[in-house]
Amino acid sequence: MEEGLGTSEQLPGDEGSDNEAASQEVFDITCNGIESDGDQVLNIEANELGTTAGQILEFESHEAEKNCEHVLNFESGAPRDNSHQLPEFHSNGLEDPRCGDTAIIDGHTGSSLGKSYPPPVVGMEFESYEDAYNYYNCCAKELGFAIRVKSSWTKRNSKEKRGAVLCCNCEGFKTMKEANSRRKETRTGCLAMVRLRLVESNRWRVDEVKLEHNHLFDPERVQNSKSHKKMDARVKRKLEPAVDVEVRTIKLYRTPAVETPGEGSSDERAVSSQIDGSTRLKLKEGDTQVIYNFFCRVQLTKPNFFYIMDFNDEGYLKNVFWIDSRSRAAYACFGDVVVVDTTCLSKKYDIPLLAFFGLNHHKETLLLGCSLLADESFETYVWLLRAWLSCMSGRPPQTIITDRCKALQNAISEVFPRAHHRLNLSIILDSIVNSVGEVGESEVFHEVLYNTVYSSLKIDEFEVAWEEMAQQFGCRGYGWFQSLYEDRERWAPIYMKDTFLAGISIDQRGEFMCPFFDGFVHKQTNLREFFDIYDFVLQKNHQKEVLCDLDSKEFSPVLRTRCNYELQLSKLYTKEIFLKFQEEMSLMSNCSGIAQIHANGPIVTYMVKERGVQGDTSDARDVEVTYDKIGVEVRCMCSCFNFKGYLCRHALSVLNYNGIEEIPNHYILTRWRKDFKRLYAPELGSSNIDISNPVQLFDHLHRRAMQVVDEGMASQDHYMVAWQAFKESLNKVRLAADKRVS
């Protein structure tokens, strides 16, 4: 079976969280004449240090009156007006010791990070590969280590470099051949490195950074290293006799959003939130009272309502999270796959709303919590996910789906390390279409793109098809297009065959789940209007679920085949799920020529030949299916069961071929059954309850009470029995309390 494997050029998605916050900060640095000019600026001189609160470090040159907020500026000469130029990083010679007086201060910890060069961070961009190499080399020389090129790659049929990994000189270990040499061992397996990538054919971006070394620094020894000798020679050649100190310029673009094609770029959002210095929730006049009134009203009507607030150091409201009792209970049944909807944040709505939602047994959206956030920083997302997890009894989802947001991605790795994190395919496909300009408007391009994403059964098929598509439509020059491809393991179905998705994000073409508040919340919707419609949307959603329950209960489908599988599941699945399963049953007729190609004891591999949709053999394809005769387990390479939660036509054909008359119970998920008792709570025994934890005590009692309520609504007789039981239980509890007092 084909599994999702990365390539040597794949950019890791789960690492770099420690550097994410730093990558969004902005610096403007020169050497002299520092004055405070704003509440958002930290001003630092060579001899005096004055600080005020803020996210921006600014070092101004003498007599400077203007500065560009996107500039790393180290220079010794007369200042220039930078406000209308691309961001630049000037240094007084790549090795000028006189720059050693300037200290770079970490905006979060206040610790010194170096003499003249801030450490590399994800998102930095340079005008050339040489500039990027020299920058990292300068950083290395100041700290006391040397660097080398670990690997690099060029464009196909061209010698033009398009990517490279620069690593610490202590990376790796000696080979077996080198181990016998008398040379001193200097390699320690150090992992410090930076990964560079060419974007838009004219800039080099830092895509990955690892700063931690596993060895001590030796500034004196590394002076003789190859990388620093090259730098020294280069500087000497460039120095002119009439100039005491060379002014070396490295173009450094600090705005990764330059390359993003439209709204929704997480890099752009993260940078802007840091530049704004957003440490408090942006509320309009009266919004605080609106939030307070809403929470008071809901707490009176829904006793299991949960909310938590986050305040900054000045006592201002920063973030808010809340979830109602029904959503908390529903998570126990439908919390296997959760979507984090950041539409309002990414598209700059008036309300900074984030919503968690899932999918119920009718494939309808189900709200699982809401939040208002001050920014989109790593710290904010960590706070939010921990708050959300705490009210879900510490049970994380199996799979969590988000948009392409680096800060959120790192926070998920921190809080949900074992969960499968995947990107929303509908958002990715939209980004691909928008990233290629006029090409994205072509219907032919859409068709080829969808075929590439949905029809590939093996990884090499997908990658070859993608390469052919990029060549056919001339997409290689679009940096964002290439960036999305490099992150393909998080969104392309072919790489996610072992990830359960319950039909969310990955389904048939055009069948993408809409956000929970879609059609109700717009860009201009204010906070008061949102809370006015909040209850209405939840009530509407609840009513729709009840109607779907009744519809499924009375549903008598017309069977299309004589296969017992269809009859079996017509009695179990909800209407919506059965109709989708019925489509697979109908397509079983296109699967023929089942042949055994391999056997290993009870495990047999079959090749199923599937004709085209219209029964055409010209576009027939072979699909591999593995069957375990002892466990009656079947696995198809199309991975329909993991993607959608029910078996595909290929697996059904193999079961039928082996004489299995009914679909095994382990392939009939409870979450899709029409008789599913949605008490919205797992059965937990008393041994699972921490009696010192009032939250767990409340949840346990509430779940038990809801079971009685659910059964009591079946008829008038059931109601009377339940009511009597409640009265008797209440009397017993009061009696126990009285005995304890006496």
Side-chain angles (χ1 to χ4, degrees):
M1 307 306 292
E2 294 293 327
E3 303 295 338
L5 300 176
T7 67
S8 61
E9 296 179 18
Q10 176 68 21
L11 302 182
D14 291 328
E15 299 179 4
S17 59
D18 294 339
N19 305 322
E20 182 64 21
S23 69
Q24 314 302 339
E25 296 185 8
V26 178
F27 306 85
D28 190 350
I29 307 174
T30 49
C31 294
N32 303 309
I34 300 156
E35 297 180 359
S36 175
D37 62 355
D39 293 335
Q40 297 292 326
V41 176
L42 272 171
N43 292 313
I44 302 178
E45 295 191 50
N47 300 317
E48 296 180 313
L49 176 65
T51 63
T52 56
Q55 294 288 331
I56 299 176
L57 302 184
E58 185 167 328
F59 301 67
E60 299 184 27
S61 62
H62 54 77
E63 298 179 348
E65 296 179 357
K66 281 189 173 183
N67 60 287
C68 172
E69 289 186 343
H70 293 244
V71 175
L72 272 159
N73 201 354
F74 294 74
E75 58 180 316
S76 61
R80 298 177 297 168
D81 182 1
N82 298 335
S83 59
H84 296 91
Q85 297 181 355
L86 290 172
E88 294 183 350
F89 171 25
H90 301 272
S91 67
N92 296 326
L94 292 179
E95 59 164 354
D96 186 6
R98 282 176 288 181
C99 282
D101 292 335
T102 303
I104 307 304
I105 306 298
D106 188 308
H108 294 284
T109 65
S111 60
S112 175
L113 297 176
K115 296 180 180 180
S116 301
Y117 298 90
V121 292
V122 174
M124 277 185 170
E125 293 183 3
F126 300 85
E127 191 177 55
S128 67
Y129 169 75
E130 184 184 30
D131 281 347
Y133 179 92
N134 290 339
Y135 171 77
Y136 190 47
N137 204 19
C138 290
C139 295
K141 186 174 183 180
E142 284 186 345
L143 287 176
F145 69 96
I147 68 170
R148 58 184 168 85
V149 180
K150 180 181 180 182
S151 61
S152 64
W153 49 97
T154 60
K155 292 185 177 180
R156 180 174 293 183
N157 301 323
S158 171
K159 294 184 179 180
E160 183 183 358
K161 195 187 298 290
R162 70 181 183 91
V165 174
L166 309 180
C167 66
C168 173
N169 213 28
C170 294
E171 185 272 343
F173 298 94
K174 281 185 177 181
T175 63
M176 293 294 294
K177 184 178 180 180
E178 295 171 333
N180 297 324
S181 68
R182 297 182 178 180
R183 294 181 61 183
K184 182 181 178 181
E185 174 63 272
T186 58
R187 298 194 179 187
T188 63
C190 181
L191 298 178
M193 52 79 76
V194 295
R195 183 187 293 267
L196 304 169
R197 178 169 59 87
L198 182 65
V199 293
E200 290 193 353
S201 302
N202 61 355
R203 299 196 311 279
W204 283 80
R205 173 181 295 172
V206 177
D207 271 353
E208 181 186 0
V209 176
K210 292 182 180 178
L211 296 177
E212 294 185 3
H213 296 257
N214 64 355
H215 56 88
L216 298 176
F217 296 145
D218 189 348
E220 294 184 3
R221 184 182 65 81
V222 299
Q223 297 297 324
N224 297 320
S225 67
K226 186 181 295 185
S227 65
H228 298 326
K229 282 183 177 180
K230 285 183 179 179
M231 182 178 70
D232 296 343
R234 189 180 302 114
V235 171
K236 289 177 181 179
R237 285 197 302 270
K238 288 188 176 183
L239 287 176
E240 297 180 5
V243 181
D244 292 338
V245 179
E246 176 200 30
V247 177
R248 166 77 173 158
T249 299
I250 300 177
K251 288 290 181 70
L252 173 59
Y253 305 80
R254 289 307 301 262
T255 52
V258 168
E259 195 184 2
T260 57
E263 294 173 331
S265 163
S266 58
D267 292 334
E268 179 181 11
R269 301 196 323 259
V271 169
S272 63
S273 67
Q274 291 291 334
I275 292 174
D276 291 342
S278 301
T279 57
R280 55 187 287 188
L281 196 60
K282 296 181 179 65
L283 299 175
K284 297 179 181 178
E285 185 176 356
D287 282 352
T288 303
Q289 190 64 39
V290 169
I291 296 174
Y292 175 78
N293 292 343
F294 170 75
F295 286 163
C296 289
R297 175 173 57 82
V298 177
Q299 279 189 310
L300 289 174
T301 57
K302 299 175 182 178
N304 204 23
F305 177 82
F306 174 96
Y307 75 93
I308 183 170
M309 294 184 174
D310 180 29
F311 297 89
N312 63 15
D313 294 339
E314 290 78 32
Y316 291 109
L317 184 61
K318 185 177 180 182
N319 305 300
V320 184
F321 169 74
W322 73 93
I323 183 171
D324 62 52
S325 56
R326 181 176 177 81
S327 296
R328 293 184 69 189
Y331 178 76
C333 299
F334 305 113
D336 43 11
V337 183
V338 174
V339 179
V340 180
D341 177 25
T342 57
T343 302
C344 295
L345 296 171
S346 65
K347 296 187 176 180
K348 309 299 181 186
Y349 280 34
D350 281 356
I351 55 172
L353 175 69
L354 180 147
F356 297 88
F357 65 90
L359 208 65
N360 69 10
H361 53 314
H362 301 293
K363 291 203 72 175
E364 297 290 340
T365 53
L366 186 74
L367 188 65
L368 298 174
C370 290
S371 182
L372 300 174
L373 302 180
D375 58 29
E376 292 189 87
S377 65
F378 168 75
E379 293 77 10
T380 294
Y381 279 129
V382 167
W383 173 87
L384 172 64
L385 295 178
R386 285 176 176 166
W388 183 79
L389 188 62
S390 67
C391 74
M392 299 303 186
S393 301
R395 174 192 158 199
Q398 293 180 34
T399 305
I400 188 162
I401 300 171
T402 71
D403 70 350
R404 196 167 182 247
C405 176
K406 187 68 175 179
L408 180 54
Q409 176 180 311
N410 291 334
I412 290 172
S413 298
E414 174 80 15
V415 183
F416 305 139
R418 297 181 181 178
H420 297 286
H421 178 208
R422 299 295 179 255
L423 303 181
N424 192 315
L425 184 56
S426 62
I427 296 177
I428 294 297
L429 291 178
D430 286 343
S431 295
I432 292 173
V433 171
N434 293 333
S435 70
V436 293
E438 294 181 359
V439 174
E441 300 175 5
S442 167
E443 291 295 330
V444 178
F445 175 77
H446 283 219
E447 183 67 21
V448 174
L449 173 62
Y450 276 80
N451 281 334
T452 300
V453 172
Y454 288 102
S455 300
S456 301
L457 290 177
K458 297 182 179 180
I459 292 176
D460 56 352
E461 287 181 12
F462 171 79
E463 293 180 346
V464 169
W466 185 278
E467 182 66 22
E468 291 176 350
M469 177 181 66
Q471 183 174 358
Q472 178 183 351
F473 295 97
C475 300
R476 289 197 185 93
Y478 296 97
W480 187 248
F481 176 86
Q482 183 63 23
S483 173
L484 290 170
Y485 175 69
E486 291 172 351
D487 213 10
R488 61 193 178 279
E489 291 189 13
R490 290 190 178 274
W491 59 263
I494 192 65
Y495 296 95
M496 299 190 289
K497 290 186 175 182
D498 293 320
T499 303
F500 183 70
L501 295 169
I504 298 180
S505 181
I506 294 179
D507 209 326
Q508 297 177 2
R509 299 184 187 187
E511 294 189 11
F512 299 113
M513 186 176 60
C514 294
F516 187 82
F517 292 104
D518 186 56
F520 295 97
V521 177
H522 309 282
K523 275 197 171 184
Q524 288 73 37
T525 302
N526 59 43
L527 204 57
R528 184 183 301 275
E529 292 170 338
F530 169 72
F531 283 123
D532 286 342
I533 65 173
Y534 176 84
D535 285 334
F536 169 76
V537 177
L538 260 63
Q539 185 65 24
K540 185 174 180 292
N541 182 265
H542 178 49
Q543 290 175 352
K544 189 171 185 178
E545 183 176 323
V546 172
L547 292 175
C548 287
D549 285 342
L550 293 175
D551 197 16
S552 292
K553 188 176 182 180
E554 299 172 356
F555 179 56
S556 297
V558 176
L559 302 183
R560 300 179 184 178
T561 70
R562 296 181 180 180
C563 184
N564 189 55
Y565 301 155
E566 186 179 11
L567 176 63
Q568 176 192 5
L569 294 190
S570 69
K571 301 174 182 178
L572 300 177
Y573 278 162
T574 60
K575 178 181 177 181
E576 179 67 23
I577 301 303
F578 176 76
L579 291 177
K580 291 187 173 297
F581 172 77
Q582 194 176 44
E583 294 176 9
E584 295 292 330
M585 291 294 307
S586 299
L587 292 173
M588 281 180 65
S589 60
N590 290 342
C591 299
S592 59
I594 301 176
Q596 178 177 324
I597 60 173
H598 184 264
N600 182 15
I603 300 176
V604 182
T605 302
Y606 296 94
M607 189 66 73
V608 178
K609 183 173 290 296
E610 181 184 17
R611 298 190 299 273
V613 178
Q614 303 300 328
D616 188 5
T617 57
S618 62
D619 59 347
R621 63 176 183 172
D622 294 329
V623 182
E624 192 175 291
V625 181
T626 303
Y627 175 64
D628 183 354
K629 294 182 177 180
I630 295 179
V632 195
E633 295 181 352
V634 62
R635 178 184 174 92
C636 178
M637 67 187 303
C638 77
S639 201
C640 175
F641 184 76
N642 274 343
F643 289 164
K644 303 178 183 180
Y646 50 82
L647 290 177
C648 64
R649 51 194 177 273
H650 317 112
L652 294 171
S653 297
V654 169
L655 288 178
N656 188 53
Y657 180 81
N658 282 273
I660 306 299
E661 296 183 356
E662 289 191 344
I663 295 176
N665 287 332
H666 50 269
Y667 291 116
I668 305 174
L669 298 183
T670 304
R671 70 166 357 267
W672 299 139
R673 294 176 66 112
K674 65 171 113 181
D675 59 351
F676 182 28
K677 292 291 184 181
R678 291 179 316 287
L679 303 175
Y680 297 126
E683 285 294 327
L684 296 176
S686 58
S687 60
N688 298 102
I689 302 301
D690 180 5
I691 60 175
S692 64
N693 189 328
V695 175
Q696 289 193 24
L697 289 178
F698 178 86
D699 285 346
H700 185 70
L701 291 174
H702 184 266
R703 284 194 294 267
R704 293 298 184 183
M706 289 306 297
Q707 285 181 277
V708 180
V709 171
D710 187 75
E711 296 291 341
M713 294 299 293
S715 67
Q716 290 186 356
D717 291 338
H718 283 73
Y719 167 78
M720 293 304 298
V721 172
W723 171 237
Q724 188 64 33
F726 274 133
K727 289 196 297 183
E728 292 176 359
S729 298
L730 184 59
N731 289 333
K732 290 180 180 179
V733 170
R734 288 174 175 171
L735 182 61
D738 292 340
K739 288 182 178 180
R740 186 173 181 180
V741 172
S742 61

